Amino acid sequence: MPGVLKRADDRSDLMPNPAVVNEHLGGMNGQVSKKRKADELVNGDMRVNGKVALANGVHANGTVADAAISTETMTAFAARNVVEVPPEIEHITQGYLPLSKLIVRLSQDTFNDLSDAINEMADMQPSQPNGMPFVNGAGSVQTPQVNVRKKTRLWDFAQDRRAKFIKVLVLSQWSRQAESISRIIDLNYWINCQKDLYRSGVDWVGELKRTLGPVKMPNPDLETALETLSTGRAAWLPDLGYLPPESMSPQRLLKALRTINTLLTIRLNLHEVIPPALKNFSIQSGRVTFRVEDEFELDLSIADEDPSSQLFFIDFRFLFSPALTCLPEGLIRDQLEGKANDILRREGLTGCYDFLHDLVLTHKLRLLRSQATEMARGRWSENLRVEPMHRSLVVQYWLNRPGAKSWVEIGIKRGKQSKKLYSKEIGSPFISFRWHRHGKEVVDVAINMDHGNLSMEAILKQIISLHTNHIFRETKKRLREGAMYATKLLFLKHKASSTEPTDCSLQIQFTSSSITTMVQDPISGALAILPPSTLHSRIERDLNGLRDPVTECSARIANLRCALAMERAETCSRMLGWKVLRNQNTSQEVVKKLFGANIVRLAFFEVATWGKDWLLVYTASMAGDSWWVVELQNPSSSSDPAGFLRAPTQSIQNALKVSATVQGYLDSSTNILASVETTAAAMISTFIDIRELDKHSDRFILHTPTRSLSKLRVPDIVLRRRSQQSSIRPTVHRENEDWCHELVKSSFQGLSRSRASINSLVSARLIRPVPNINKLTSKMDSSLAFHPTSGTFAFRLNTSIGKTRIPAILERLHRIHRLVQFLEIIRRHDIPCQSVSMSELIFTYATDPFGPLAARITFASESPMEVFFPQSNPHLRIQDFLKHMLNEGQGFEVVICTLLFTLPLCRAFAAIESAKRTAGTTIHILPRSATWFRVKYGNPVAAYEIKLRQRDEQVLWFSMDTKRQEQSSAEDKAFKEAWDKLCRGRGQGWQGMKGGIKAEANGVMDLIMRIDAVFQELISADSGIKDDYEHDEKSTEVEAKAKDEQEQKFVVIDD
């Protein structure tokens, strides 16, 4: 029991079974059978001879009756347990945390995540299309994509919080049984401590037994010792009667050794035939020592001065490891000495060398076999097989790799010695290797073995290194057949090692930013790709399942490279908003027909701004990665022989290659994919333009610029203006086609910010450049530019992707023609321009005391020209007449002249309208054309007209009384007298005449003011109101009104 030590009188058969104790404590390692637990609670533990019965009800050593325990024994055992209460076990409290702290922290974390989720949903604003109304600075319509994203974000937050609160709920339910669990933890800790004590006790006993081994001594032979100590001899030992040798002095011994050395020198140099392998010898201490490198040392001597007497074996030592340096005294040494002396007697030194050399080779093979067996039992287990065959050794490696087996045979071969081996004797045997790789013997392979330090592991590693290098070398060779590696756009680096297979690797560059390393495990032969990833692990499984990795590995590596390139392209495409299209029914015939025969992988992408008619296709192969743009069509309009269907109603109509793999475009990135999208959009536009030109049989030129916006060049289109206007746009107004040269060049300039349209630069050259056009166009918008001397002009064009640019180019050229005509007229009249564009022209034609007088003319496409004036402009009353003049063929120059000539008159009208008048009187100015006006006064009624006429090549204003035939009342007579008086009068720039008044342009204003003053005096006198006509006060009122209206500005409409 816990905390109780076993006493001497305790019986082990009465100790409780540990399994039963664990069951009563709750079962630390599993649940207890309910039936067994119930039986034990009712009947107690069933024991047989002091042992607990088996759980299945079968009892050992007899039946239940034979195994019954006496009541006295059980009573005594219970009494001892009651008396000897064990000490309380240690209570574990370290590492406990209150549940309340966890709940508080979870609540705070939930609040923080909820705040972040709300902020993120608030920031999810839809992209506002151009022209959509805004309410309070945000779009009034919430797009479905934003709603889905918000709901998804809120759903993710709720799911995450729900999972965490469920965990807290489980912990709270578990905490209700925390006291029981705490006891179980304490008991488990105590049991583990007891197990550690038992293990340490067993270790101590074993160590004690091991250390007492050398101390044990054999029993002494006391009888022999007693007899020897008493008599000086033992009676049972035989006496052979040998005479003791004579003692030799050191001088005599040294002389004898020198004599033997001399005799050995003479004999070996004159009489003995020494084998080539034993040429390395030395003579000293009365013996000759023959040394064979990495094999053995042999000590021989003579017993007679006769040169024909035999040499005798003295000593033998191995010169390689692992082996004994010298032979110990015993049976092996005696047998070797006897065999060597017999061979020396019969065959001499040559036979002795052959015997010892063969002995060394055999011993080396046995050592290699022993090392191979130990390797197969160690970390090379289940991957190495050792089979001894006669005097040869067969070691098979990589047992678990599929396909043909590989092994190496190590044996002894006789014949001509290789120069790389230690022995140079012809016919001397040596250790040789035969290597079978994938079931085929590899010839002419050099396997180096360190004969002085035998290592089967080093030999096997050298062979595996050769095998691994062969796999990597062939894989590299096959990968170089592809253009990606043949042109060194992607590099391959094979790191080879002849002794260590772990140093062998094949470094492969898949993309410009992805470099992987393929290695091979020397023990199992499994191929691995570093760094590890999910995609790499799938390819590793394929590589390790190949039956012939030499020929099949390159295809898997190529597939991996293309898969990585495709994965990178799909990731970056999603960042740009592209949609990756799945479930494409793409047959191999279609792929070969459209994109080439060597395509490994391809993917389809849908660009949202292109519509549904165009797709981007990314193809990856070892010949190069390419981007394609394909046009879809309705299968009803054309057959689908290839069988490629993107949807049930669509098929591919055209496929255009965007770009092949070039330096700098090896890896997909957002910048590169943006360039691909830009170039693809330009190619779509160019293709549609060419198709439009071919439809009308118009001539054009494709010119590839030497400099381009990006590395992916897009050709420019050079077309003929006249042919385009005659064939494509016959409705274009052809005023004067000789205003610019025929050739018009259109070049691609990138995409718009929304990436939904393309920007093009269209350029041409005027036949007659407008002088000082740079001064006139100094305030021109950036969409149009003129060269001041050459007459070249260029304008920007923005068209939707998938739409032809040709009609828009021609329409813009027509507007530029109008603009050039307007600028020429403005230049002749020396009128400054405020703003110039292809759709409108704002110019200042006069200066008013309260500010400049400006006019705005718009000439948008497919609509009549318009002329606009600010509210304070005096010409506002004739705006419609000027518009009519502008569009009915009279031209812009007539409008300019009209503005300049009618300016004084319109100013006078503005002045008299704003003048202060007698209450009840009114004045109406009714324009009948731009040069014909009727002025009518009310209360009493009076009217006159003023009209512009040409008289003797001079343009004059003529004014007449319109009521001359109706004057009958006294009031009319007064007006008639006043008018006649004016007709007889004269003023600055005007002169009366019979029936009317004529005035020049500079005098018409004074005339109108004079007529108004006369009529106002007559009206005031007739009403009895004596109110002076104070012109200065009226001017002050006019000035205040003009300043208020001066703040109004023109709105410049840009295409």
Side-chain angles (χ1 to χ4, degrees):
M1 293 182 65
V4 180
L5 296 177
K6 183 179 179 182
R7 299 185 306 179
D9 57 345
D10 288 344
R11 292 175 55 187
S12 60
D13 55 349
L14 296 180
M15 293 296 292
N17 193 310
V20 178
V21 174
N22 287 336
E23 292 170 358
H24 284 289
L25 290 177
M28 295 296 294
N29 298 322
Q31 297 180 352
V32 182
S33 173
K34 296 181 179 179
K35 181 178 178 181
R36 180 181 175 187
K37 186 172 182 180
D39 293 339
E40 291 174 357
L41 293 176
V42 175
N43 302 323
D45 292 341
M46 296 178 291
R47 300 176 180 271
V48 180
N49 295 336
K51 304 298 182 178
V52 178
L54 298 178
N56 56 9
V58 180
H59 299 269
N61 298 329
T63 62
V64 177
D66 297 334
I69 302 176
S70 63
T71 306
E72 293 78 2
T73 304
M74 294 297 296
T75 304
F77 172 71
R80 285 196 299 272
N81 290 341
V82 172
V83 173
E84 299 178 3
V85 178
E88 184 178 359
I89 63 177
E90 182 181 358
H91 182 58
I92 305 300
T93 59
Q94 184 178 2
Y96 284 11
L97 292 176
L99 182 62
S100 60
K101 180 179 290 188
L102 177 61
I103 296 175
V104 170
R105 291 185 177 178
L106 180 60
S107 301
Q108 182 64 35
D109 184 60
T110 302
F111 177 77
N112 294 338
D113 287 353
L114 179 59
S115 300
D116 296 340
I118 293 174
N119 292 335
E120 290 182 12
M121 289 189 293
D123 294 337
M124 292 179 184
Q125 296 298 336
S127 58
Q128 189 68 31
N130 293 333
M132 180 176 290
F134 284 80
V135 178
N136 296 330
S140 60
V141 180
Q142 194 70 270
T143 60
Q145 293 82 357
V146 175
N147 293 333
V148 171
R149 287 165 51 195
K150 290 184 178 181
K151 292 177 181 179
T152 302
R153 179 65 181 89
L154 189 59
W155 175 261
D156 294 341
F157 165 77
Q159 285 289 96
D160 179 65
R161 293 296 101 186
R162 178 178 177 271
K164 292 187 177 180
F165 275 101
I166 287 176
K167 294 178 182 179
V168 173
L169 177 61
V170 173
L171 291 177
S172 64
Q173 293 177 354
W174 174 85
S175 64
R176 299 172 186 174
Q177 302 176 357
E179 184 177 358
S180 301
I181 300 299
S182 177
R183 292 179 182 177
I184 292 176
I185 294 173
D186 298 341
L187 183 59
N188 183 43
Y189 174 74
W190 181 86
I191 291 174
N192 291 335
C193 292
Q194 295 302 311
K195 289 180 180 179
D196 292 340
L197 292 176
Y198 295 154
R199 283 193 292 267
S200 62
V202 172
D203 294 341
W204 179 79
V205 172
E207 182 66 19
L208 180 62
K209 181 179 180 180
R210 188 183 66 80
T211 55
L212 290 178
V215 180
K216 184 178 179 181
M217 298 179 64
N219 296 329
D221 188 1
L222 299 179
E223 183 178 356
T224 303
L226 182 59
E227 183 179 0
T228 302
L229 291 175
S230 301
T231 62
R233 59 183 300 274
W236 60 274
L237 293 176
D239 186 5
L240 301 179
Y242 289 130
L243 297 177
E246 296 181 2
S247 60
M248 297 181 65
S249 63
Q251 292 79 10
R252 184 179 176 185
L253 180 60
L254 180 60
K255 182 179 179 181
L257 293 176
R258 288 176 177 175
T259 301
I260 295 174
N261 292 341
T262 303
L263 294 175
L264 286 173
T265 303
I266 295 172
R267 181 170 178 172
L268 293 176
N269 287 293
L270 299 178
H271 303 285
E272 289 290 339
V273 179
I274 303 176
L278 298 180
K279 292 296 184 180
N280 184 14
F281 64 88
S282 61
I283 300 174
Q284 60 181 359
S285 300
R287 66 179 67 180
V288 56
T289 301
F290 295 96
R291 182 180 180 88
V292 181
E293 291 295 333
D294 298 333
E295 287 197 16
F296 61 86
E297 278 187 349
L298 175 64
D299 292 343
L300 301 179
S301 187
I302 58 175
D304 196 347
E305 296 182 359
D306 186 4
S308 60
S309 61
Q310 79 168 70
L311 296 171
F312 289 93
F313 178 88
I314 301 299
D315 199 3
F316 179 82
R317 296 174 296 277
F318 291 110
L319 295 181
F320 58 88
S321 63
L324 297 174
T325 56
C326 60
L327 295 178
E329 299 291 338
L331 179 62
I332 297 179
R333 182 182 177 87
D334 295 340
Q335 291 179 352
L336 179 61
E337 183 177 355
K339 184 68 175 177
N341 287 330
D342 182 60
I343 294 175
L344 285 171
R345 179 178 59 83
R346 291 184 290 105
E347 302 179 10
L349 288 176
T350 302
C352 183
Y353 165 74
D354 292 339
F355 165 68
L356 294 178
H357 178 64
D358 191 62
L359 174 66
V360 168
L361 294 182
T362 303
H363 186 50
K364 286 185 176 181
L365 285 179
R366 289 184 176 273
L367 290 176
L368 292 176
R369 185 179 69 180
S370 176
Q371 292 179 359
T373 303
E374 291 297 326
M375 290 171 60
R377 294 174 181 174
R379 65 191 186 98
W380 293 72
S381 62
E382 300 182 359
N383 293 284
L384 201 66
R385 180 180 297 169
V386 182
E387 297 180 2
M389 299 176 61
H390 304 293
R391 293 183 67 189
S392 299
L393 176 65
V394 178
V395 180
Q396 181 183 346
Y397 58 93
W398 295 352
L399 299 180
N400 298 322
R401 279 204 64 88
K405 304 302 180 182
S406 302
W407 69 88
V408 59
E409 298 180 10
I410 306 176
I412 299 175
K413 184 177 181 181
R414 298 183 181 274
K416 187 175 181 180
Q417 183 70 22
S418 174
K419 294 182 180 181
K420 296 183 179 180
L421 300 180
Y422 59 90
S423 178
K424 298 183 180 180
E425 180 186 3
I426 299 177
S428 178
F430 58 92
I431 295 178
S432 66
F433 301 89
R434 293 180 61 190
W435 178 30
H436 294 260
R437 183 180 62 207
H438 296 298
K440 298 181 181 180
E441 183 178 359
V442 182
V443 297
D444 298 333
V445 59
I447 301 176
N448 300 322
M449 185 180 73
D450 188 358
H451 295 270
N453 185 15
L454 299 179
S455 175
M456 186 63 205
E457 186 173 7
I459 296 173
L460 195 58
K461 283 185 176 181
Q462 184 180 173
I463 295 173
I464 292 176
S465 297
L466 294 174
H467 197 161
T468 303
N469 289 330
H470 174 68
I471 294 175
F472 291 166
R473 191 182 304 110
E474 290 298 322
T475 302
K476 178 182 178 181
K477 178 181 177 182
R478 294 175 184 272
L479 289 177
R480 287 231 183 249
E481 295 176 358
M484 299 286 288
Y485 296 101
T487 57
K488 297 184 179 180
L489 293 177
L490 300 176
F491 74 86
L492 290 170
K493 183 179 181 181
H494 175 209
K495 182 180 180 181
S497 176
S498 59
T499 58
E500 186 58 48
T502 56
D503 294 339
C504 301
S505 63
L506 180 61
Q507 197 172 22
I508 308 172
Q509 183 185 14
F510 289 149
T511 61
S512 60
S513 60
S514 175
I515 300 176
T516 60
T517 303
M518 185 169 68
V519 296
Q520 190 171 30
D521 182 20
I523 297 178
S524 63
L527 294 169
I529 298 179
L530 304 177
S533 67
T534 304
L535 183 58
H536 291 174
S537 62
R538 292 199 299 266
I539 299 299
E540 287 177 7
R541 287 194 296 269
D542 295 341
L543 292 176
N544 293 322
L546 299 177
R547 299 186 63 85
D548 188 5
V550 175
T551 58
E552 301 176 8
C553 186
S554 59
R556 300 301 190 278
I557 297 299
N559 192 13
L560 175 60
R561 194 213 75 80
C562 296
L564 288 174
M566 189 67 62
E567 182 181 23
R568 177 63 177 170
E570 291 180 356
T571 302
C572 295
S573 67
R574 291 187 180 93
M575 298 173 64
L576 292 178
W578 299 358
K579 180 181 178 181
V580 182
L581 300 180
R582 303 294 183 184
N583 301 325
Q584 299 295 322
N585 299 325
T586 312
S587 62
Q588 292 296 328
E589 292 76 9
V590 173
V591 173
K592 292 180 181 180
K593 180 180 178 181
L594 295 177
F595 310 113
N598 299 322
I599 299 302
V600 179
R601 286 176 177 261
L602 76 162
F604 293 83
F605 303 91
E606 181 180 308
V607 184
T609 57
W610 290 7
K612 301 296 183 180
D613 296 336
W614 295 90
L615 296 179
L616 269 176
V617 180
Y618 179 71
T619 59
S621 66
M622 298 306 293
D625 300 341
S626 301
W627 285 95
W628 300 72
V629 57
V630 296
E631 183 183 11
L632 305 179
Q633 67 174 359
N634 195 307
S636 60
S637 61
S638 63
S639 60
D640 183 24
F644 178 89
L645 296 179
R646 174 179 175 268
T649 59
Q650 289 181 318
S651 60
I652 286 185
Q653 180 180 2
N654 295 293
L656 307 175
K657 191 172 185 179
V658 177
S659 64
T661 303
V662 295
Q663 189 67 27
Y665 286 84
L666 298 177
D667 194 9
S668 295
S669 63
T670 53
N671 294 333
I672 293 177
L673 262 63
S675 300
V676 170
E677 179 184 356
T678 302
T679 306
M683 293 183 64
I684 292 173
S685 179
T686 303
F687 177 78
I688 294 176
D689 291 341
I690 293 174
R691 185 165 59 186
E692 184 74 12
L693 295 172
D694 289 337
K695 184 188 303 182
H696 298 278
S697 301
D698 293 317
R699 291 182 296 174
F700 62 91
I701 302 173
L702 290 179
H703 174 259
T704 302
T706 57
R707 295 182 180 180
S708 180
L709 185 65
S710 62
K711 296 182 180 180
L712 307 175
R713 297 178 181 175
V714 179
D716 301 335
I717 298 180
V718 181
L719 53 91
R720 291 185 176 273
R721 179 177 58 87
R722 287 190 176 182
S723 61
Q724 299 309 312
Q725 289 184 351
S726 61
S727 60
I728 297 180
R729 291 292 304 276
T731 60
V732 174
H733 183 66
R734 300 173 61 183
E735 298 175 358
N736 184 6
E737 295 182 356
D738 295 333
W739 65 280
C740 72
H741 291 274
E742 292 184 354
L743 297 181
V744 180
K745 178 181 177 183
S746 174
S747 59
F748 175 71
Q749 296 295 312
L751 297 179
S752 61
R753 291 186 177 181
S754 63
R755 308 189 73 83
S757 58
I758 64 172
N759 296 323
S760 303
L761 183 64
V762 182
S763 59
R765 193 173 63 177
L766 298 174
I767 296 178
R768 294 179 295 275
V770 179
N772 299 325
I773 194 172
N774 56 340
K775 182 179 179 181
L776 297 174
T777 59
S778 60
K779 296 183 180 181
M780 181 181 296
D781 62 348
S782 59
S783 62
L784 179 63
F786 287 89
H787 194 275
T789 57
S790 65
T792 303
F793 64 91
F795 61 89
R796 292 180 181 177
L797 184 65
N798 185 275
T799 56
S800 300
I801 299 175
K803 303 296 182 182
T804 179
R805 295 173 291 178
I806 304 303
I809 291 175
L810 298 179
E811 189 273 332
R812 292 292 181 90
L813 290 175
H814 175 63
R815 283 197 277 170
I816 292 176
H817 182 200
R818 285 182 176 178
L819 179 61
V820 171
Q821 291 177 339
F822 292 168
L823 293 177
E824 178 65 27
I825 295 171
I826 288 176
R827 182 191 65 81
R828 291 200 300 266
H829 290 275
D830 194 18
I831 296 176
C833 294
Q834 293 184 4
S835 176
V836 179
S837 68
M838 287 185 292
S839 59
E840 71 173 12
L841 177 65
I842 302 177
F843 57 91
T844 304
Y845 59 88
T847 302
D848 194 77
F850 309 111
L853 298 178
R856 177 164 66 96
I857 297 179
T858 62
F859 40 94
S861 60
E862 303 297 338
S863 61
M865 291 183 288
E866 300 278 351
V867 58
F868 299 96
F869 298 98
Q871 292 294 330
S872 60
N873 195 299
H875 282 105
L876 184 61
R877 68 182 71 250
I878 61 172
Q879 175 176 304
D880 295 336
F881 298 107
L882 294 176
K883 174 184 175 182
H884 181 75
M885 295 170 60
L886 192 64
N887 289 283
E888 292 301 324
Q890 299 183 30
F892 178 67
E893 189 167 11
V894 176
V895 173
I896 292 294
C897 294
T898 303
L899 288 175
L900 297 177
F901 208 84
T902 59
L903 178 60
L905 178 63
C906 291
R907 283 179 175 175
F909 287 158
I912 64 177
E913 281 182 336
S914 60
K916 184 177 180 181
R917 301 187 178 278
T918 305
T921 61
T922 59
I923 183 173
H924 300 281
I925 301 175
L926 305 176
R928 300 192 175 182
S929 69
T931 58
W932 186 5
F933 300 90
R934 176 182 174 84
V935 183
K936 184 178 181 181
Y937 292 85
N939 196 17
V941 178
Y944 69 93
E945 291 184 353
I946 184 168
K947 190 174 183 180
L948 187 65
R949 293 181 179 179
Q950 185 174 1
R951 188 70 62 85
D952 298 333
E953 297 182 357
Q954 185 178 9
V955 179
L956 299 174
W957 288 102
F958 288 87
S959 178
M960 61 190 69
D961 181 15
T962 59
K963 298 186 65 177
R964 177 177 297 273
Q965 305 299 330
E966 304 172 0
Q967 295 170 351
S968 59
S969 63
E971 296 177 356
D972 292 338
K973 292 180 180 180
F975 280 108
K976 180 181 180 303
E977 293 177 358
W979 180 260
D980 293 339
K981 184 178 179 180
L982 287 173
C983 291
R984 293 191 299 271
R986 178 189 297 270
Q988 184 179 359
W990 61 274
Q991 180 181 357
M993 52 184 292
K994 185 179 179 180
I997 306 171
K998 66 176 182 179
E1000 298 178 356
N1002 56 357
V1004 69
M1005 185 173 181
D1006 183 67
L1007 173 62
I1008 297 301
M1009 298 300 293
R1010 178 62 178 166
I1011 294 174
D1012 183 70
V1014 171
F1015 282 8
Q1016 186 67 19
E1017 290 177 1
L1018 293 175
I1019 293 172
S1020 299
D1022 183 73
S1023 303
I1025 302 175
K1026 303 299 182 179
D1027 188 14
D1028 296 332
Y1029 183 80
E1030 298 178 0
H1031 182 69
D1032 295 337
E1033 295 180 1
K1034 298 178 181 63
S1035 300
T1036 304
E1037 184 179 354
V1038 172
E1039 180 180 358
K1041 183 178 180 181
K1043 287 184 179 180
D1044 294 338
E1045 297 175 351
Q1046 188 179 0
E1047 298 178 358
Q1048 299 181 3
K1049 297 182 180 180
F1050 295 111
V1051 178
V1052 180
I1053 302 175
D1054 192 359
D1055 289 4

